[in-house]
Amino acid sequence: VQLQASGGGLVQPGDSLRISCAVSGSDFSIHIMGWSRQAPGKQRELVASVTPGSVTNYAAIMEGRFTISIDNAENTVYLQMNSVKVEDTAVYYCSGVFSIGGSPTATTVWGQGTQVTVSS
């Protein structure tokens, strides 16, 4: 199982941006997917998570500006970021917990991250 994040870039404060995370591989099932972010000099923090049933959870600091969603047919997770702020600048990482190859043990997989820079 591999995760490929994309869609990051340079945006201005107040803009909107959607980043994506595509899951590839075979013989897997998704337990939960999530986005985390890491700003320079700071620890990685959870942004949001979503289950295949679209049950979502958000970090309180997102203040309702971000929306996570999942496309089960495409095995892709999205993070819609609205009214972005300078402090949203970070590398955004997607991750997921999977069952792979019928194993009873859940496996966590991380993607490579996509840079989001908010600057005027």
Side-chain angles (χ1 to χ4, degrees), residues 7-18:
L10 174 63
V11 294
Q12 294 186 340
D15 283 353
S16 296
L17 183 70
R18 190 178 78 163

Side-chain angles (χ1 to χ4, degrees), residues 30 33-34 54 87 89 96-97 100 103 107 113:
I30 298 173
M33 297 287 298
S54 293
E87 49 265 42
T89 295
V97 179
I100 302 174
S103 170
T107 301

